[in-house]
Amino acid sequence: MRTIVLVFILAGWYGAASAEDIHLRISPNPAVSKIELSIGNVASGALKIEIYSVLGTLLQTTDYVASAANIIVEMNVSNFPDGIYLVRISQNGNTTVKRLKVQHSE
């Protein structure tokens, strides 16, 4: 019997933590239909929000213009099937990634 092992490599997504790292909190997590992203330590200007499947498929991308160092962004995930996803925030070469679980029923 052949076993297939999937490895999801976050190439270039993780690096050494620094004072410039973007802070991200996702709530609720697990989510049913909407999530709130609390994003901190960002500069004023454009940032990119991306949601990936654990296999690396880009499912949703949002370009956002931050006007303050700490922002809150709401996103709809009601069309995502139950599962684990990765939320990636990037701005000016700084990136952070957090895990999101979508669970529509218990």
Side-chain angles (χ1 to χ4, degrees):
M1 180 175 223
R2 194 169 134 168
T3 302
I4 298 173
V5 177
L6 296 176
V7 178
F8 184 70
I9 300 173
L10 300 173
W13 285 11
Y14 289 111
S18 74
E20 298 172 354
D21 285 346
I22 298 170
H23 302 267
L24 172 62
R25 193 182 94 234
I26 303 170
S27 61
N29 197 2
V32 175
S33 60
K34 290 186 180 183
I35 57 173
E36 183 177 279
L37 306 176
S38 298
I39 307 167
N41 202 29
V42 293
S44 293
L47 64 91
K48 184 175 290 285
I49 303 168
E50 299 167 312
I51 301 179
Y52 289 86
S53 73
V54 292
L55 298 177
T57 304
L58 178 61
L59 302 173
Q60 184 173 339
T61 185
T62 302
D63 292 317
Y64 188 86
V65 178
S67 59
N70 299 299
I71 58 174
I72 295 176
V73 178
E74 288 187 0
M75 298 184 80
N76 184 348
V77 294
S78 62
N79 60 335
F80 289 15
D82 288 2
I84 303 296
Y85 300 89
L86 299 171
V87 178
R88 180 181 187 217
I89 310 293
S90 56
Q91 182 187 52
N92 301 330
N94 296 321
T95 301
T96 192
V97 178
K98 294 279 182 167
R99 185 181 70 88
L100 165 66
K101 181 177 182 181
V102 174
Q103 184 175 343
H104 298 289
S105 61
E106 297 206 21

